[in-house]
């Protein structure tokens, strides 16, 4: 039996925290010391020992593991044979009584490879379906469907925990991994560009009262409060699109706008870049994996979208404009989602930012019905 279990969890809407908590419950029942650590911007602390088991629970993003998790695994000390188990979460859904699994792709095994490379002994990988939290693209699941998916996930996690805690191995998800390898170009595009662009689709609607809860909650501290008169949230490129801000805002003020998306698409592809590329960039160099023009285009997109978002943020200071954009946003009409049995203060406690956890960050159930 292990002496200590360190549960690392990265979470946007509480699902991964819930999964880590189920694992912790099982370990505590066996009398093992359990530590919970949130994967956030600051480096994780770990003293590698053979008697320690590290467990990683995190959401899948773009058919792979989020940047934050990969970066934090790379920053861990050398494993020296410390055991590790990995739980990538997927977007489970249920439509008309039929359940559909999510797709973790390379998420679990990419994390496993990095851990092996760092000297950890990987004992298990298991993808877990929890209710999908991507409320930027679909409405949150109903209470009934949410409960159904969670009830199905709990015994799987506990069984996995039991096997791993008894020092056996449990590997699953080879088929999703192979599909993930096939989808790898999408994952790479997601990590290099998609995630950055998604961060710039967020805006605070006229319902925002500048309470800063979104900024305090953000695991990457990617939201800054900006503006000359009234400070409003501004999403920087370090946002991982984890959905915490959107789903925990008590006023339902965080929205995503397809109009901004279309605008940024045109800004990123307008003839200016074509002109720059055709007049000032030399012929592609064949020894490079990607052409110079690709790199210039990439930099151009990042800079132009950054500038356009700054302008947009200023314009959102006009109440009429933010109301107009919000009314045209599909997310204004979407139900939000967060793990129902988890209060944000359960995991926010580990933040450095001083947060009044007394009800202040309690989720308002209005949005979850
Ligand atoms: C930007 C984004 C991308 C996602 N990509 C995937 C995906 O590729 N495959 C999948 O199964 N789930 C995907 N999901 C769903 C989450 O992994 C899933 O809902 C998870 O349970 C969320 O956990 P959390 O509440 O701990 O953040 C995505 C969610 C978001 C917000």
């Amino acid at each position: 039996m292990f002496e200590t279990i360190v549960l690392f969890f990265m979470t946007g809407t509480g699902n991964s925290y819930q999964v880590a908590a189920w694992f912790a419950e099982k370990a505590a029942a066996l009398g093992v010391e359990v530590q919970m650590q949130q994967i956030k911007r600051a480096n994780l602390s770990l003293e590698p020992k053979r008697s320690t088991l590290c467990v990683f629970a995190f959401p899948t993003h773009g058919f792979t593991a989020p940047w934050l998790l990969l970066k934090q695994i790379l920053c861990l000390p050398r494993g020296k044979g410390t055991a590790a188990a990995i739980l990538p979460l997927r977007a489970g859904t249920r439509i008309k009584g039929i359940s559909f699994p999510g797709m973790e792709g390379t998420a679990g095994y990419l994390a496993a490879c990095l851990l092996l490379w760092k000297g950890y002994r990987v004992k298990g990988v298991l993808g877990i379906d929890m209710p999908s939290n991507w409320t930027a693209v679909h409405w949150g699941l109903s209470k009934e469907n949410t409960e159904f998916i969670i009830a199905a996930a709990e015994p799987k996690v506990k069984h996995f925990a039991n096997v791993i805690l008894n020092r056996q191995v449990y590997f699953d998800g080879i088929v999703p991994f192979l599909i993930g390898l096939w989808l790898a170009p999408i994952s790479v595009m997601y990590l290099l560009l998609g995630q950055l662009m998604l961060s710039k689709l967020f805006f605070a609607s006229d319902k925002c009262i500048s309470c800063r809860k979104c900024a305090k909650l953000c695991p990457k501290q990617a939201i800054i409060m900006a503006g000359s008169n009234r400070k409003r949230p501004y999403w920087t490129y370090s946002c991982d699109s984890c959905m915490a801000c959107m789903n925990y805002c008590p006023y339902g003020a965080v929205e995503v706008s397809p109009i901004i998306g279309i605008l940024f698409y045109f800004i990123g592809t307008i003839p200016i870049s074509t002109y720059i590329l055709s007049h000032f960039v030399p012929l592609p160099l064949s020894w490079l994996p990607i052409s110079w023009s690709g790199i210039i285009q990439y930099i151009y997109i990042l800079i132009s979208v950054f500038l356009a978002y700054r302008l947009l943020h200023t314009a959102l200071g006009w109440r009429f404009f933010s109301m107009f954009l919000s009314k045209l946003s599909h997310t204004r009409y979407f139900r939000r989602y967060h793990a129902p049995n988890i209060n944000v203060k359960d995991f926010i406690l580990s933040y450095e930012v001083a947060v009044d956890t007394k009800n202040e960050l309690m989720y308002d159930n209005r949005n979850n019905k």
Side-chain angles (χ1 to χ4, degrees):
M1 188 56 70
F2 296 99
E3 277 171 20
T4 313
I5 315 283
V6 188
L7 283 147
F8 295 113
F9 67 93
M10 171 185 166
T11 196
T13 51
N15 286 345
S16 306
Y17 177 81
Q18 172 68 87
V19 165
W22 286 329
F23 202 111
E25 224 176 281
K26 203 77 198 162
L30 295 171
V32 185
E33 187 202 321
V34 179
Q35 296 168 17
M36 299 277 264
Q37 269 193 53
Q38 185 162 20
I39 302 173
K40 48 189 176 44
R41 222 162 147 173
N43 283 353
L44 302 172
S45 86
L46 177 73
E47 201 188 317
K49 275 188 202 155
R50 285 191 87 82
S51 57
T52 299
L53 167 71
C54 314
V55 181
F56 296 82
F58 56 90
T60 300
H61 284 173
F63 307 118
T64 195
W67 262 135
L68 182 61
L69 176 96
L70 299 176
K71 192 200 123 201
Q72 292 294 28
I73 289 182
L74 287 172
C75 292
L76 281 174
R78 297 289 312 162
K80 297 178 191 158
T82 306
I86 301 161
L87 288 156
L89 269 69
R90 313 189 289 214
T93 24
R94 194 161 173 262
I95 304 166
K96 298 210 181 293
I98 305 169
S99 298
F100 296 91
M103 164 57 66
E104 77 267 40
T106 49
Y109 286 94
L110 179 57
C113 289
L114 290 184
L115 283 164
L116 277 173
W117 180 63
K118 296 246 15 172
Y120 291 78
R121 284 177 301 130
V122 180
K123 309 295 282 178
V125 177
L126 175 66
I128 296 290
D129 283 311
M130 284 293 273
S132 178
N133 71 342
W134 204 353
T135 48
V137 293
H138 60 75
W139 51 90
L141 269 66
S142 69
K143 192 167 179 280
E144 187 201 346
N145 288 338
T146 297
E147 280 169 1
F148 185 92
I149 295 169
I150 290 177
E154 184 175 353
K156 283 186 194 156
V157 175
K158 289 194 170 164
H159 176 63
F160 178 76
N162 209 25
V163 172
I164 300 292
L165 290 167
N166 283 303
R167 290 203 178 253
Q168 290 162 349
V169 292
Y170 190 142
F171 288 95
D172 198 4
I174 297 297
V175 173
F177 171 64
L178 293 176
I179 299 173
L181 282 182
W182 185 65
L183 295 173
I186 298 179
S187 300
V188 172
M189 280 308 286
Y190 177 81
L191 291 178
L192 291 180
L193 196 63
Q195 175 192 298
L196 299 174
M197 293 304 117
L198 286 176
S199 69
K200 297 297 181 195
L201 301 185
F202 287 110
F203 72 98
S205 75
D206 52 305
K207 294 183 196 164
C208 175
I209 61 151
S210 307
C211 68
R212 295 181 65 235
K213 279 170 197 160
C214 52
K216 289 173 185 171
L217 261 172
C218 177
K220 288 195 79 185
Q221 287 152 30
I223 303 174
I224 50 173
M225 298 302 286
S228 45
N229 298 332
R230 193 166 65 84
K231 298 226 180 291
R232 284 167 297 104
Y234 175 98
W235 280 262
T236 64
Y237 273 138
S238 47
C239 164
D240 260 358
S241 251
C242 73
M243 297 291 137
C245 52
M246 186 173 205
N247 289 297
Y248 282 110
C249 171
Y251 308 98
V254 177
E255 309 274 9
V256 158
S257 168
I259 296 179
I260 304 179
I262 294 167
L263 190 78
F264 287 172
Y265 174 77
F266 281 106
I267 289 171
T269 52
I270 49 170
I272 296 176
S273 57
T274 320
Y275 179 81
I276 298 171
L277 293 173
S278 57
H279 284 80
F280 301 108
V281 178
L283 286 173
L285 298 179
S286 52
W287 53 270
L288 276 176
I290 44 171
S291 64
W292 275 115
S293 55
I295 297 171
I296 302 269
Q297 181 82 31
Y298 181 68
I299 296 169
Y300 170 78
I301 292 172
L302 293 188
I303 295 174
S304 59
V305 168
F306 168 79
L307 293 173
Y309 192 70
R310 288 293 286 259
L311 282 176
L312 184 90
H313 187 264
T314 309
L316 281 164
W318 309 323
R319 207 169 174 78
F320 173 75
F321 182 70
S322 68
M323 197 189 296
F324 168 75
L325 207 60
S326 168
K327 289 255 195 282
L328 292 178
S329 162
H330 59 298
T331 55
R332 186 171 182 110
Y333 310 98
F334 278 2
R335 187 197 287 128
R336 304 293 200 248
Y337 168 80
H338 79 120
N341 304 323
I342 301 295
N343 190 310
V344 71
K345 72 176 179 176
D346 291 341
F347 58 87
I348 196 80
L349 287 174
S350 53
Y351 276 79
E352 292 92 6
V353 186
V355 175
D356 173 13
T357 52
K358 267 196 200 160
N359 294 329
E360 199 211 2
L361 288 167
M362 292 267 291
Y363 181 73
D364 181 341
N365 273 331
R366 275 175 313 171
N367 290 322
N368 212 24
K369 281 184 185 140

